[in-house]
């Protein structure tokens, strides 16, 4: 069912339209936002002045109309800290309800924490050891801990970026500003975060647009490649502390010039870094992950009454298959290549040490290696790599995505080019395995170069220091044998052996059996 959620936050107003299923799948159709910084307005005035309220109501009307025009049939709307705390919040919300054409739930902080936890868990998949979700917004900061769909512990504090920006009176930030911020953070955590310090699981994730903006700056400064989604990007708290100190020395124009900084985040980036870093330090968190889903996705999943959070592998498999079905819905060649590739990996296990993740990765690469041909046959591997890089695939870390993009990009090449940007996102000790996977992918693609799925199986009949002989199972295999002879140069270079194929006994089969 296509649903929409209107998120009336303290930094910005958002609308998300998505197709949502009961088994925890959220397929975004539309995302739109407007920056309003109501948190700072409420902190300074206690309420929302008429002119600001007018702008906010207009934003609600516009975003709600976008949701309707994009086919949403179920609508959800939530308001958080700024509208929760404003003296005239009920009156402004009433105007917004009329503009939206639906009711708006002004949710308390603990409920906001629960929903953010639900959204983050759906983006990351099940975490056996439990999960702690930290949601930094404009008006508040929420914390939730749990190992199941419903968190065991939730809390909310007034540590919002827009709210605390009212304490900062100089730009660049002065010593007195830092002192006021630090005192406010310490006081709030003593009230709301004490229980978390002793119960934090090993896996801590942070959500929110400000968190993602800071993470992109860190990635840019480290010259690291990251895909369109930062989901599962690891960040060291010490590295964030360095960024905090750098940003605190700059004025707004200087922060705008920092590599990776989005202009609309430059106003409060130094404040956000200070809040996030001090919270993590006081909670004893040395490392966390970025998650790009949170409150909005949680509202949609809660509204759809989802009861299942998929395993990470299920998220990855589902996303890859969806990508194939969007671009090559009637194609049997790509999924068959994927099956042949893992058969080849298994058959040649004696000459490599590739593991379970490698097997899964190779299958994913086989499924999507041909999606670029939906745009153009010439250089389709480049188109495919671009599509995969920008697809915001669920369940993949940035490094895992870099590995997948690299395999897809060099499927028709003589080897991996180290200057290709996603290669920078792969750990150096992983590159030999990626080269082996690429050799297997190229050989498997050659086995189905005829695109008629005639090769349905294989087994090794000879393996020595010079060659691996495969006996193929299928019918009309002459062309497959000649094609793989053309595509084994990288296999020979990578594994130090020739790959030779022969025809085995014929068995009846249907195309696409593999």
């Amino acid at each position: 069912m296509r649903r929409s959620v209107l998120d009336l936050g303290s930094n910005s107003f958002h609308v998300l339209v998505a197709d949502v299923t009961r088994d925890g799948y959220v397929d975004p159709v539309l995302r739109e936002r407007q920056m309003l910084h109501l948190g700072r307005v409420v902190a300074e005035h206690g309420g929302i002045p008429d002119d600001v309220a007018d702008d906010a109501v207009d934003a609600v009307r516009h975003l709600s109309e976008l949701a309707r025009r994009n086919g949403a049939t179920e609508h959800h709307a939530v308001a958080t800290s700024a509208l929760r705390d404003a003296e005239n919040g009920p009156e402004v919300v009433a105007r917004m309800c009329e503009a939206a054409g639906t009711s708006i739930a002004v949710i308390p902080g603990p409920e906001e924490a629960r929903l953010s936890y639900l959204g983050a868990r759906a983006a990351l998949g099940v975490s056996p050891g439990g999960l702690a979700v930290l949601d930094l917004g404009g008006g508040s900061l929420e914390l939730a801990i749990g190992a199941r769909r419903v968190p065991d512990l939730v809390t909310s504090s007034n540590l919002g970026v827009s709210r605390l920006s009212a304490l900062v009176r100089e730009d660049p930030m002065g010593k007195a500003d830092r002192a006021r911020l630090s005192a406010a953070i310490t006081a709030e955590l003593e009230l709301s975060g004490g229980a978390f310090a002793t119960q934090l699981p090993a896996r801590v994730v942070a959500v929110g647009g400000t968190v993602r903006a800071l993470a992109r700056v860190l990635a840019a400064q480290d010259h690291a490649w990251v895909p369109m989604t930062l989901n599962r990007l690891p960040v060291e708290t010490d590295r964030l502390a360095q960024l905090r100190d750098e940003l605190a020395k700059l004025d707004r124009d200087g922060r705008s010039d920092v590599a990776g900084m989005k202009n609309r985040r430059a106003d409060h980036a130094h404040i956000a870094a200070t809040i996030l870093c001090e919270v993590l330090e006081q909670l004893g968190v040395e490392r966390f992950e970025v998650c790009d889903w949170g409150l909005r996705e949680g509202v949609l999943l809660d509204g759809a009454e989802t009861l299942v959070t998929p395993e990470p592998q299920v998220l990855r498999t589902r996303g890859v298959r969806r990508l194939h079905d969007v671009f090559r819905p009637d194609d049997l060649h790509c999924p068959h290549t994927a099956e042949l590739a893992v058969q080849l990996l298994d058959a040649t296990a004696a000459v490599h040490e590739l593991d379970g993740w490698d097997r899964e990765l190779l299958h994913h690469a086989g499924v999507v290696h041909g999606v670029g041909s939906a745009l153009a046959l010439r250089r389709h591997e480049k188109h495919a790599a671009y599509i995969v890089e920008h697809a915001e695939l669920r369940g993949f870390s940035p490094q895992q995505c870099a590995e997948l993009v690299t395999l897809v990009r060099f499927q028709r090449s003589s080897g991996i080019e180290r200057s290709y940007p996603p290669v920078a996102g792969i750990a150096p000790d992983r590159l030999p395995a990626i080269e082996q996977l690429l050799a297997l992918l190229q050989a498997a693609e050659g086995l189905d170069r005829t695109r008629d799925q005639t090769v349905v199986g294989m087994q090794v009949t000879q393996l020595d220091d010079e060659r691996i002989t495969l006996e193929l199972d299928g019918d009309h295999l002459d062309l497959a044998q000649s094609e793989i002879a053309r595509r084994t140069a990288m296999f020979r270079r990578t594994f130090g052996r020739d790959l030779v194929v022969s025809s085995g006994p014929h068995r009846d089969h249907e195309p696409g059996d593999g």
Side-chain angles (χ1 to χ4, degrees):
M1 177 180 290
R2 182 158 296 181
R3 297 173 179 266
S4 73
V5 55
L6 193 62
D7 172 14
L8 309 180
S10 301
N11 269 337
S12 54
F13 285 7
H14 291 250
V15 69
L16 168 62
V17 179
D19 295 325
V20 186
T21 63
R22 291 290 300 276
D23 60 350
Y25 188 59
V26 178
D27 182 13
V29 174
L30 170 75
R31 295 184 187 271
E32 190 65 56
R33 70 177 154 203
Q34 294 193 23
M35 303 295 290
L36 295 169
H37 294 299
L38 288 187
R40 183 181 185 110
V41 173
V42 172
E44 291 179 346
H45 300 282
I48 303 174
D50 290 343
D51 58 334
V52 178
D54 291 342
D55 290 342
V57 171
D58 286 343
V60 168
R61 181 178 295 107
H62 173 70
L63 296 174
S64 299
E65 182 63 19
L66 283 177
R68 285 190 290 272
R69 293 289 186 92
N70 279 270
T73 57
E74 291 286 336
H75 303 278
H76 309 274
V78 295
T80 55
S81 177
L83 289 165
R84 192 164 62 223
D85 297 342
E87 295 171 354
N88 60 339
E91 293 84 357
V92 176
V93 170
R95 292 181 58 195
M96 291 176 172
C97 289
E98 184 178 355
T102 189
S103 61
I104 297 173
V106 181
I107 57 175
E111 174 67 358
E112 187 176 350
R114 181 186 74 85
L115 292 168
S116 294
Y117 169 89
L118 185 61
R121 194 164 182 263
L124 299 170
V126 175
S127 295
L131 184 69
V133 177
L134 184 155
D135 182 0
L136 178 60
S140 61
L141 179 143
E142 280 69 44
L143 289 166
I145 291 176
R148 296 174 296 276
R149 185 181 185 276
V150 178
D152 300 316
L153 184 62
V154 295
T155 191
S156 178
S157 66
N158 291 325
L159 297 179
V161 178
S162 290
R163 182 194 296 271
L164 293 192
S165 67
L167 300 177
V168 178
R169 297 159 190 170
E170 298 180 30
D171 195 20
M173 189 186 296
K175 290 184 179 179
D177 294 327
R178 286 285 295 269
R180 280 191 294 272
L181 273 179
S182 182
I185 295 167
T186 299
E188 282 290 335
L189 283 179
E190 287 177 352
L191 293 173
S192 62
F196 283 81
T198 58
Q199 298 187 40
L200 282 176
R203 191 175 194 186
V204 177
V205 302
V207 307
T210 301
V211 171
R212 293 193 297 274
L214 293 173
R216 279 209 181 272
V217 172
L218 288 173
Q221 291 188 350
D222 294 339
H223 305 290
W225 174 88
V226 291
M228 288 300 294
T229 173
L230 293 173
N231 208 45
R232 296 185 58 193
L233 178 74
V235 177
E236 302 293 332
T237 301
D238 286 347
R239 182 67 188 88
L240 179 65
Q242 295 175 14
L243 177 61
R244 171 197 61 192
D245 295 340
E246 294 166 11
L247 294 177
K249 298 174 184 177
L250 302 173
D251 62 11
R252 201 258 181 222
D253 290 339
R255 294 190 297 273
S256 294
D257 291 337
V258 171
M261 179 67 71
K262 292 185 176 181
N263 187 60
R264 64 175 175 272
R265 297 290 182 182
D267 285 338
H268 296 153
H270 57 318
I271 301 170
T274 300
I275 297 170
L276 181 59
C277 192
E278 292 206 23
V279 169
L280 292 168
E281 289 174 342
Q282 291 194 37
L283 292 177
V285 177
E286 298 179 354
R287 185 175 186 267
F288 66 97
E289 294 177 56
V290 178
C291 180
D292 58 3
W293 280 14
L295 175 63
R296 289 180 289 280
E297 291 78 12
V299 170
L300 291 178
L301 291 165
D302 201 51
E305 299 180 343
T306 59
L307 300 175
V308 177
T309 299
E311 298 284 343
Q313 183 174 353
V314 173
L315 287 174
R316 293 190 292 266
T317 300
R318 179 184 284 169
V320 164
R321 186 68 209 202
R322 175 186 172 277
L323 198 60
H324 170 271
D325 291 346
V326 166
F327 287 92
R328 304 292 300 175
D330 300 319
D331 172 61
L332 296 176
H333 167 67
C334 289
H336 191 69
T337 296
E339 294 298 328
L340 292 176
V342 295
Q343 286 186 43
L344 186 57
L345 180 148
D346 293 341
T348 58
V351 298
H352 61 71
E353 296 181 353
L354 298 170
D355 59 19
W357 162 244
D358 294 314
R359 193 175 192 276
E360 180 189 339
L361 175 62
L362 180 60
H363 192 275
H364 293 328
V367 171
V368 296
H369 83 275
V371 296
S373 60
L375 305 180
L377 284 176
R378 184 172 295 173
R379 302 185 184 276
H380 71 81
E381 68 278 9
K382 291 186 176 181
H383 305 317
Y386 179 89
I387 290 169
V388 173
E389 177 181 344
H390 292 81
E392 297 190 11
L393 294 170
R394 298 288 103 205
F396 287 86
S397 69
Q399 171 161 315
Q400 289 171 337
C401 188
E403 293 177 356
L404 179 61
V405 171
T406 299
L407 287 175
V408 171
R409 168 61 184 86
F410 294 105
Q411 60 182 277
R412 304 178 68 195
S413 304
S414 59
I416 296 171
E417 296 175 9
R418 297 300 192 270
S419 60
Y420 181 56
V423 174
I426 302 175
D429 61 357
R430 281 288 297 162
L431 284 173
I434 301 305
E435 290 176 335
Q436 291 181 334
L437 292 173
L438 181 59
L440 293 169
L441 177 63
Q442 290 182 354
E445 207 279 333
L447 288 173
D448 195 49
R449 186 61 179 163
T450 54
R451 308 181 72 87
D452 56 6
Q453 296 78 60
T454 56
V455 177
V456 296
M458 67 192 74
Q459 46 275 329
V460 173
T461 59
Q462 179 183 356
L463 192 158
D464 54 37
D465 291 339
E466 296 185 0
R467 68 179 54 82
I468 299 174
T469 302
L470 288 179
E471 184 179 274
L472 302 181
D473 187 8
D475 196 8
H476 307 297
L477 298 175
D478 292 346
L479 190 54
Q481 290 177 257
S482 63
E483 276 293 331
I484 200 168
R486 303 166 188 260
R487 292 172 177 269
T488 57
M490 188 171 181
F491 189 98
R492 183 182 308 110
R493 187 170 65 253
T494 303
F495 293 102
R497 295 166 172 82
D498 289 322
L499 183 63
V500 180
V501 298
S502 64
S503 299
H506 165 75
R507 76 170 177 86
D508 293 332
H509 65 280
E510 296 293 333
D513 273 359

